[in-house]
Amino acid sequence: MSVDNRPTPSAPDDDPWLWLEEIEGARALDFVEKQNRLTLDRFGGAAFERDRDTLAAIYDRPDNIPYVGRRGAHLHNVWKDAANPRGLWRRTTLAEFRKPNPAWETVLDIDKLAASEGEDWLLSSISSQPGHSRVILSLSRGGSDAVTLREFDADTSSFVADGFTLPEAKGGVDWLDPDTLLLSSAYGDDMVTSSGYARTVRLWRRGESVDQAQIILDTAADHMGIFGSVDDTGAKPRAWIIDQIDFFNYGIWLRDEAGTTTKLDLPTGIWMQAHGDWFAMKLRTDWSVEGRTYAADALLGISLSSFLAGSRDFTSLFEPGPRRALQGFFWAAGKLVLSILDELKPRFEIRTPSAAGWSRETLGGLPEIGVVDVWPLDRHSSESNGDLLANVQDPLTSPSLLLIERGVESPTVLKQAPRTFNADGLMVSQHEAISVDGERIPYVQTGPAGETGDAPVYMSAYGGFGLAVKPHYDSSLGKLWLERGGTVVQANLRGGGEFGTRWHDAGRFAGKRLSHDDFAAVAADLVRRGVTQPKRIAAQGGSNGGILITNMLVRYPERFGALFCTIPLIDMRRYTKLLAGASWIAEYGDPDKPEEWEWLKTYSAYHNAKPGQPYPPILIATTRRDDRVHPGHARKMAAKLQAMGYEAWFYEPAAGGHGYGKDNKERAGFQVLGFQFLKEKIGWRDEC
């Protein structure tokens, strides 16, 4: 195919590689097979197999932390290892879990299920109800987002004869009562939005066909989707129905015991959590009501019954600062727990409502540096006694799982993850680069002390959807990069949520280019500080980070030695037409609107790649079962770059979903293939 026929901003749909969007097309699969063979032949030798097996053994260690959630009297966990690559759903008690080697009861062996039914099953989620043994299992083929729903009895470890079942579709359920489900699924005629998610919330009663299920509420086809959740913390049973207009805007409905639905009079740019007669909501934009103005990112609380009666007398529960932002909040036993980043340091506060007002206290006993995550132990709020779990780690300290009983006791260590790499002589430091417009861009550097000017550097970032990136303990990078003398850098780009909405919005829509400028600024700062040189910098990004990495290729090729682009979004002209792409318009913009295509085309690397440029080598990898970000993005970009004569490699395993593999060995292989490529292309022969 002549590169003169490549798609351009002026003729964006003149695409000679469109046939690669046919996921199971014979011609497309032939391309994938040939590309996989070339890539594995080149980078999949003895060193690859050794490192893959080393990493898989780390993932399969019996002393890894089994993360749990409590349902009734039991703690539940899904465990994967070499003997159980798809996983065991198992349970134990809290008293048993405290022991060094707890005894577990197997509820379901997913490997045996997959083998007996001849299906590529993975367990995606479990929907349960307090006090009942029956659950709905969401079973995914190969890790895809679409799931098959099946009713299962956890006490008898068997599927329920003539129980609830639903063929494969995106979405899920919640239990309204033992014989009624609240169904939010894209299954059925006219039940799917343009984003591929549920268009209706239905009341599905036992014994009736899903086609007969009553539609409680539906949404417009161009909304992202709609979903319902049952809330049993109130005086009477109720449900919340969320109409997700786009990624960041919601219409919120309350369904009472009588079946009446009431839309809450609230701005759409909020997120809320309710418990009993109270609710709290975080604002995305400034909001004025009854003579008061509340700032974006503030958290407000009010009595639900008072609000429904017309009161707008909110209490301010959190006030943001320029570099202080609320990351999340949740209820546990009537207490509201706030997760805060203050200059990237974790803080946790508790707000407790009463007739006298909201009390305030700090969740104590947790470190004020590193990465700290806190969440409720109980899966159902109505069963919670306030027990919390916390995970504490940093790039050189393996995770600890802590129990904070009733949310007030001093944290106690339940489990300690093993140290999986030698951190002797390594240090963690924080730095800031100055981006093109003068903004300070934080980044964390982990590696040997002292600057050599020639360090093999692995860089990563995300910079999208308001998600904050935290410097966690990474066994793969630790064992295969840090332990062998390399340096790891993680950047906090605009588009993320580290400093709240203003940080996110600065890297959204047309500002996405600034997010990419931020990453390039960090690479330049590493050279300025004498850490390394451009040809020794390897960078990886996935999903939204795929846009980032391909823009480093076409906009900043001189700053990198090699690039690894995974499960990527790349073609910004057609992304809304592919799988869940339409759901991301609120982050990027709509390419079908000429004024928005004007900014989208500036970071659509698929259209901006040109022949004859000094592009560094790139490996682009995806998975065939990714039904969120279409594998066509990766396929087409690799094909186009190769046609232009660039060194572009491609890899696509058959399973994995929007991830790196369906089991630990596959995940390890995907990562190690990337490491082998990056190391070779930056000229690093690590000592191992």
Side-chain angles (χ1 to χ4, degrees):
M1 191 72 67
S2 169
V3 297
D4 292 333
N5 293 329
R6 66 186 182 274
T8 64
S10 60
D13 288 324
D14 181 16
D15 189 345
W17 309 110
L18 206 59
W19 53 274
L20 286 169
E21 292 180 6
E22 298 176 20
I23 297 176
E24 301 292 343
R27 185 182 177 196
L29 290 181
D30 182 62
F31 169 87
V32 169
E33 182 182 351
K34 290 177 179 177
Q35 294 290 324
N36 282 351
R37 190 182 313 118
L38 289 170
T39 300
L40 290 171
D41 285 349
R42 182 66 184 81
F43 303 104
F48 161 81
E49 293 177 358
R50 176 201 64 216
D51 285 354
R52 179 202 59 200
D53 293 346
T54 295
L55 188 55
I58 289 174
Y59 292 157
D60 287 334
R61 285 182 62 137
D63 54 350
N64 286 331
I65 294 176
Y67 289 97
V68 294
R70 185 164 58 193
R71 294 181 174 91
H74 290 95
L75 305 187
H76 292 252
N77 163 259
V78 176
W79 177 260
K80 294 182 179 183
D81 58 23
N84 307 280
R86 295 176 186 274
L88 289 176
W89 172 22
R90 56 188 191 167
R91 65 188 181 188
T92 189
T93 64
L94 178 57
E96 186 70 23
F97 188 71
R98 292 178 186 270
K99 299 177 181 179
N101 296 294
W104 294 90
E105 174 193 358
T106 297
V107 182
L108 177 65
D109 185 323
I110 298 117
D111 291 272
K112 287 184 178 179
L113 175 67
S116 66
E117 297 187 348
E119 292 281 5
D120 192 16
W121 289 135
L122 295 175
L123 181 57
S124 178
S125 66
I126 303 166
S127 176
S128 60
Q129 54 184 326
H132 295 274
S133 65
R134 291 187 174 186
V135 302
I136 299 293
L137 301 184
S138 296
L139 296 170
S140 162
R141 287 185 174 87
S144 63
D145 287 349
V147 294
T148 296
L149 305 181
R150 293 167 67 180
E151 188 174 5
F152 185 86
D153 192 313
D155 285 349
T156 62
S157 294
S158 61
F159 288 99
V160 177
D162 300 321
F164 288 107
T165 61
L166 192 71
E168 188 176 55
K170 290 187 179 182
V173 299
D174 204 356
W175 291 89
L176 198 60
D177 62 48
D179 293 311
T180 314
L181 297 178
L182 206 59
L183 176 66
S184 311
S185 173
Y187 178 78
D189 294 337
D190 202 32
M191 295 295 175
V192 61
T193 66
S194 58
S195 296
Y197 298 107
R199 191 177 175 184
T200 63
V201 174
R202 289 173 273 181
L203 205 62
W204 190 13
R205 296 177 176 87
R206 186 177 299 280
E208 72 179 4
S209 165
V210 69
D211 298 328
Q212 299 172 319
Q214 174 192 349
I215 296 176
I216 297 174
L217 209 62
D218 62 0
T219 189
D222 62 351
H223 285 197
M224 183 174 168
I226 192 169
F227 59 93
S229 63
V230 175
D231 178 357
D232 51 14
T233 65
K236 297 180 180 180
R238 65 191 184 194
W240 295 96
I241 300 175
I242 311 299
D243 177 7
Q244 190 163 8
I245 301 166
D246 61 33
F247 218 92
F248 312 110
N249 287 278
Y250 310 87
I252 300 173
W253 298 74
L254 177 61
R255 182 183 189 273
D256 64 18
E257 185 181 25
T260 303
T261 55
T262 303
K263 186 175 184 181
L264 272 62
D265 181 21
L266 292 169
T268 59
I270 67 161
W271 184 247
M272 68 163 286
Q273 296 284 342
H275 185 96
D277 190 41
W278 300 94
F279 79 87
M281 65 176 187
K282 178 187 175 185
L283 300 174
R284 181 171 172 76
T285 58
D286 293 350
W287 183 45
S288 296
V289 61
E290 293 194 353
R292 295 184 64 184
T293 298
Y294 302 97
D297 290 343
L299 183 69
L300 309 181
I302 195 171
S303 158
L304 178 58
S305 58
S306 295
F307 177 85
L308 293 174
S311 172
R312 298 297 182 265
D313 186 19
F314 291 95
T315 298
S316 181
L317 306 178
F318 172 82
E319 294 291 340
R323 293 171 80 86
R324 181 174 185 265
L326 183 66
Q327 299 299 305
F329 56 98
F330 62 85
W331 291 93
K335 296 178 181 289
L336 185 67
V337 181
L338 280 57
S339 172
I340 300 163
L341 279 183
D342 192 343
E343 289 287 355
L344 299 180
K345 296 180 176 63
R347 302 284 187 270
F348 294 89
E349 297 179 358
I350 298 174
R351 304 285 188 270
T352 306
S354 69
W358 295 72
S359 66
R360 174 177 177 173
E361 57 188 311
T362 299
L363 188 60
L366 297 171
E368 297 185 349
I369 58 173
V371 176
V372 183
D373 295 302
V374 177
W375 65 96
L377 172 60
D378 293 280
R379 295 297 190 188
H380 297 286
S381 295
S382 61
E383 296 183 329
S384 175
N385 65 352
D387 287 353
L388 306 176
L389 292 175
N391 184 289
V392 176
Q393 60 186 299
D394 66 43
L396 299 179
T397 306
S398 61
S400 298
L401 181 65
L402 313 179
L403 175 65
I404 309 172
E405 295 187 87
R406 295 176 300 283
V408 294
E409 300 294 331
S410 296
T412 57
V413 176
L414 284 176
K415 301 293 175 185
Q416 175 69 55
R419 291 181 59 186
T420 55
F421 62 91
N422 183 359
D424 293 348
L426 302 179
M427 62 176 290
V428 180
S429 55
Q430 290 186 307
H431 307 271
E432 288 184 338
I434 305 301
S435 195
V436 292
D437 60 348
E439 181 65 78
R440 295 180 294 143
I441 309 303
Y443 65 96
V444 173
Q445 177 179 324
T446 306
E451 317 299 358
T452 66
D454 197 43
V457 171
Y458 171 97
M459 281 184 66
S460 67
Y462 185 72
F465 295 93
L467 298 177
V469 172
K470 301 174 183 178
H472 60 278
Y473 189 84
D474 189 314
S475 294
S476 61
L477 286 170
K479 188 66 178 178
L480 303 180
W481 203 279
L482 291 172
E483 188 180 276
R484 297 178 182 178
T487 294
V488 171
V489 170
Q490 186 179 72
N492 299 108
L493 312 181
R494 282 174 287 185
E498 291 85 348
F499 302 129
T501 298
R502 68 105 184 164
W503 192 254
H504 174 211
D505 283 351
R508 183 169 161 235
F509 292 144
K512 190 62 66 178
R513 276 176 64 90
L514 279 177
S515 178
H516 305 157
D517 293 331
D518 296 347
F519 193 68
V522 172
D525 199 60
L526 294 171
V527 176
R528 181 193 64 81
R529 290 178 43 237
V531 175
T532 190
Q533 50 187 314
K535 67 180 182 180
R536 297 280 274 177
I537 299 178
Q540 178 177 349
S543 195
N544 171 76
I547 309 175
L548 168 69
I549 293 300
T550 52
N551 271 269
M552 294 306 99
L553 180 81
V554 301
R555 294 186 58 212
Y556 290 100
E558 72 284 356
R559 298 193 185 184
F560 299 91
L563 300 168
F564 183 30
C565 179
T566 62
I567 51 174
L569 187 65
I570 302 174
D571 179 353
M572 302 311 293
R573 178 60 186 173
R574 288 185 50 77
Y575 86 92
T576 59
K577 299 174 174 63
L578 302 174
L579 296 176
S583 66
W584 311 317
I585 288 175
E587 177 74 10
Y588 306 118
D590 187 346
D592 290 334
K593 295 179 179 178
E595 68 277 13
E596 297 185 14
W597 173 240
E598 283 302 309
W599 73 62
L600 278 161
K601 71 183 182 183
T602 68
Y603 56 83
S604 184
Y606 184 61
H607 297 93
N608 294 323
K610 301 174 182 177
Q613 305 301 306
Y615 294 165
I618 187 170
L619 169 59
I620 306 174
T622 185
T623 75
R624 197 166 313 148
R625 291 294 296 176
D626 188 347
D627 56 352
R628 193 180 313 172
V629 178
H630 197 290
H633 286 278
R635 294 174 176 182
K636 294 196 305 179
M637 188 66 175
K640 178 181 178 183
L641 290 172
Q642 291 173 2
M644 289 180 172
Y646 292 115
E647 185 179 355
W649 299 83
F650 179 81
Y651 178 63
E652 181 189 296
H658 193 59
Y660 290 174
K662 68 175 182 285
D663 57 41
N664 289 338
K665 188 172 184 178
E666 283 188 6
R667 181 160 62 102
F670 193 105
Q671 293 173 292
V672 169
L673 190 69
F675 291 160
Q676 292 294 119
F677 166 80
L678 292 174
K679 288 178 180 181
E680 176 179 308
K681 297 308 173 183
I682 64 171
W684 182 32
R685 292 183 174 273
D686 56 10
E687 299 298 328
C688 54

